[in-house]
Amino acid sequence: MTIIDIADNRLILNGQEVDALGGESFERVSPAHDVVVARYAQAGAEDVDRAVAAARQAFDDGPWPRRAGVERFRVLRRVADLIRRDRDLLARLEALESGKPISQALDEVDAAAELWDYAATLARHAYGDAHNDLGADVLAMVVNEPLGVVSIITPWNFPLLIVSQKLPFALAVGCTAVIKPSELTPGTTLHLARLIIEAGADRGVVNVVTGAGGVGSAMAAHPGSDMVSFTGSTAVGREVAASAGRLLKRVELELGGKNPQIVCADADLDAALDAVVFGVCFNAGECCNSGSRVLVHRDLADEFAAQVVERARRVPVGDPLDPATKIGAIVSDEQLSVIERYVAEGRGDGADLLLGGDRLTTGAGRFYRPTVFAGVDPGMSIAREEIFGPVLSVLAFDTLDEAVEIANSTMYGLSAGIWTSDLNAALTASQGLRAGTIWVNRWMDGYPELPFGGYKASGEGRELGRQAITSFTQTKTIQLQVGARRTRWVPGDMS
Ligand code: NAD
């Protein structure tokens, strides 16, 4: 079956596409169609050295960090335009490699373009501050300088979006970058790098190495970069932070989630049901913000679970390239096994399986049916751990305080939601919920303007928002003596 011309991709180093030094490559098979869709160069440690050296030189000696903000603004805005120009190609690549439905891939491409537009505007606002309030004899400046070389390591679930949550903000302030996309979905990141070069970024500003975890590990431990910005699992995030920490590099981590939606008795149930089904089916549940556990007031828990089942059973699962599909393929055999293991644990722990719990045998690919467990206890693994599949756990609560306590009882703290018509109760609960994003009567909307990140084991640092650029700068203060200095330090007098 030919669904795309198989592309042979090389590394992107110092503005050029080059082979990996070891001469090896690996293939990506579309998880929905089981056919090879692309070949990629397998980078080794020496290729990481070359990529870091190119980014280092572009930062230390190249024009990019020294350009006026408005020049970087123009390049970033052009990248946004080029992403929109290549929208269909990028979405198709994303759908084929990740297995996500084409409609969601198109939305992802549009959201990525928005991020480049937004970061472009920040390139003109990276200035610092001045003080004339420290005394008549001093004038001080607080300047923001680009941090340096940033290593960016990304996962497979939203490859283009996640690199776009990091890279344009780093570039906006004058940093340079080495990027490693997931080995399952490198296609859109490589294409993005080509667009950045086309848009006029200077040589060596953006470098891409492809390969599996060992490549990321070499990047985190490389002394030539100044920061690691990582999105992925909490387990790997810990390793990345440990190795970057040994070199005292700055680290930003966007990690896993087990996000609760709390449904109160006075909620708009129709809206809540929609959001709960969407929250667990979107991107086949392979989503850090997946609303994978719903806490429902005990008076309505059974009826709510029954209605979730009614809606979830109608969600179309199938070929990602079909515009009607809402749940595409699971990204890999490994991920499918993880989902099956958790579902088996849920059954073994005594939860009630109301829907799904099995693969869907559609064609050659890897598909899993939407799955709903009710009667879930907060201590069960399906209530505590990130499954990364279309698997929902329904739990019951009696009081809002209890719901907040259950919501906070996992190691994660990425996002949480509350459905109620009592805004006072919503605000009180929002203050008690230990998560970086709280949605009240909505779910999973994101905006470039709003900071995003996790509490607890869901991460460290924040992306997006105006503050995003400060992740990639360091601050220097410069004091100027105004007029003659009035006090003098007398050697020996330290009092
Ligand atoms: P992963 O942690 O397995 O891999 C992420 C990236 O790290 C990949 O590029 C991988 O090759 C690389 N990697 C693997 N081992 C490494 C190592 N030892 N050192 C350095 N790099 C290494 O995650 P995944 O399976 O690709 O993605 C799913 C995870 O990502 C989920 O836990 C999800 O919650 C998380 N995620 C979080 C966010 C967020 O914004 N918080 C967004 C999307 C995904």
Side-chain angles (χ1 to χ4, degrees):
M1 175 184 183
T2 306
I3 46 178
I4 197 168
D5 289 335
I6 297 172
D8 268 306
N9 295 279
R10 304 200 285 170
L11 310 177
I12 297 186
L13 300 185
N14 212 17
Q16 287 177 327
E17 308 215 9
V18 298
D19 288 322
L21 287 178
E24 286 176 28
S25 63
F26 63 96
E27 292 179 336
R28 178 60 182 144
V29 169
S30 162
H33 313 96
D34 229 17
V35 297
V36 174
V37 287
R39 257 180 237 108
Y40 295 100
Q42 171 62 57
E46 332 74 58
D47 298 306
V48 172
D49 286 344
R50 291 199 292 166
V52 174
R56 185 83 261 160
Q57 195 182 6
F59 185 78
D60 290 345
D61 306 321
W64 187 253
R66 290 152 197 92
R67 288 194 184 283
V70 68
E71 291 180 55
R72 290 197 290 267
F73 159 81
R74 288 195 189 106
V75 173
L76 300 190
R77 205 183 45 179
R78 175 108 178 93
V79 175
D81 292 343
L82 294 175
I83 291 173
R84 292 187 179 107
R85 182 196 70 189
D86 290 355
R87 180 176 189 255
D88 290 339
L89 170 75
L90 284 162
R92 192 173 162 83
L93 260 176
E94 201 83 312
L96 284 173
E97 292 199 323
S98 74
K100 73 179 58 195
I102 189 75
S103 59
Q104 292 168 26
L106 286 164
D107 288 347
E108 182 182 341
V109 175
D110 294 343
E114 285 293 312
L115 288 168
W116 283 84
D117 263 341
Y118 178 69
T121 62
L122 297 181
R124 304 181 78 169
H125 292 88
Y127 50 77
D129 213 344
H131 281 270
N132 62 352
D133 56 346
L134 303 173
D137 64 337
V138 60
L139 190 60
M141 288 176 268
V142 181
V143 297
N144 297 325
E145 296 191 338
L147 186 63
V149 175
V150 181
S151 290
I152 294 177
I153 303 171
T154 58
W156 45 260
N157 60 341
F158 295 93
L160 184 66
L161 187 70
I162 288 171
V163 72
S164 301
Q165 291 186 191
K166 303 171 184 296
L167 184 59
F169 298 90
L171 298 184
V173 295
C175 289
T176 61
V178 176
I179 308 158
K180 191 202 90 66
S182 166
E183 60 277 26
L184 300 181
T185 54
T188 51
T189 302
L190 279 167
H191 193 73
L192 175 68
R194 293 182 196 114
L195 298 183
I196 296 167
I197 293 168
E198 183 182 343
D202 300 304
R203 173 182 276 259
V205 166
V206 171
N207 306 275
V208 183
V209 282
T210 44
V215 180
S217 164
M219 286 164 67
H222 203 290
S225 72
D226 302 286
M227 172 175 179
V228 185
S229 180
F230 173 85
T231 297
S233 61
T234 295
V236 174
R238 285 186 214 279
E239 284 180 40
V240 166
S243 88
R246 275 192 283 280
L247 294 167
L248 297 179
K249 289 186 201 199
R250 190 178 292 177
V251 183
E252 194 168 72
L253 303 169
E254 298 292 342
L255 308 176
K258 185 72 187 176
N259 312 294
Q261 296 207 55
I262 298 172
V263 181
C264 299
D266 62 354
D268 172 345
L269 291 184
D270 193 46
L273 281 162
D274 249 9
V276 164
V277 174
F278 166 72
V280 75
C281 293
F282 177 61
N283 217 51
E286 297 167 325
C287 181
C288 58
N289 275 324
S290 168
S292 52
R293 54 190 176 129
V294 57
L295 282 46
V296 187
H297 192 279
R298 196 171 302 280
D299 290 349
L300 21 134
D302 290 347
E303 177 56 24
F304 192 87
Q307 291 201 34
V308 168
V309 166
E310 262 329 291
R311 293 187 190 206
R313 82 161 82 245
R314 285 186 270 126
V315 176
V317 184
D319 186 347
L321 298 181
D322 180 344
T325 293
K326 292 275 194 277
I327 296 184
I330 301 300
V331 72
S332 64
D333 290 329
E334 291 71 26
Q335 190 55 35
L336 204 51
S337 307
V338 170
I339 297 169
E340 289 184 326
R341 175 167 59 78
Y342 277 115
V343 168
E345 282 181 20
R347 282 177 149 145
D349 286 343
D352 303 328
L353 180 64
L354 302 186
L355 180 71
D358 51 0
R359 295 183 185 204
L360 193 80
T361 39
T362 298
R366 297 144 185 84
F367 298 91
Y368 205 82
R369 291 209 295 149
T371 295
V372 179
F373 279 108
V376 176
D377 182 273
M380 294 178 186
S381 62
I382 55 169
R384 307 179 65 78
E385 292 172 30
E386 187 180 49
I387 300 173
F388 240 55
V391 181
L392 179 71
S393 292
V394 182
L395 295 84
F397 69 85
D398 291 300
T399 66
L400 193 51
D401 283 350
E402 183 196 1
V404 170
E405 196 182 316
I406 297 171
N408 287 339
S409 68
T410 75
M411 71 170 178
Y412 296 111
L414 191 59
S415 57
I418 172 157
W419 294 87
T420 173
S421 49
D422 180 347
L423 282 188
N424 194 29
L427 281 179
T428 308
S430 299
Q431 285 175 310
L433 287 165
R434 301 204 59 217
T437 297
I438 312 291
W439 284 290
V440 178
N441 296 331
R442 54 187 5 230
W443 184 257
M444 232 195 289
D445 297 286
Y447 300 87
E449 292 85 349
L450 296 183
F452 175 72
Y455 278 38
K456 302 192 284 180
S458 288
E460 171 55 34
R462 292 289 178 272
E463 294 182 335
L464 312 186
R466 252 182 330 192
Q467 303 88 324
I469 51 173
T470 61
S471 301
F472 301 102
T473 60
Q474 54 191 340
T475 300
K476 178 184 277 175
T477 63
I478 304 171
Q479 299 179 22
L480 301 180
Q481 179 65 35
V482 178
R485 186 161 169 77
R486 281 191 239 120
T487 54
R488 267 177 203 289
W489 176 58
V490 180
D493 177 8
M494 296 293 285
S495 60

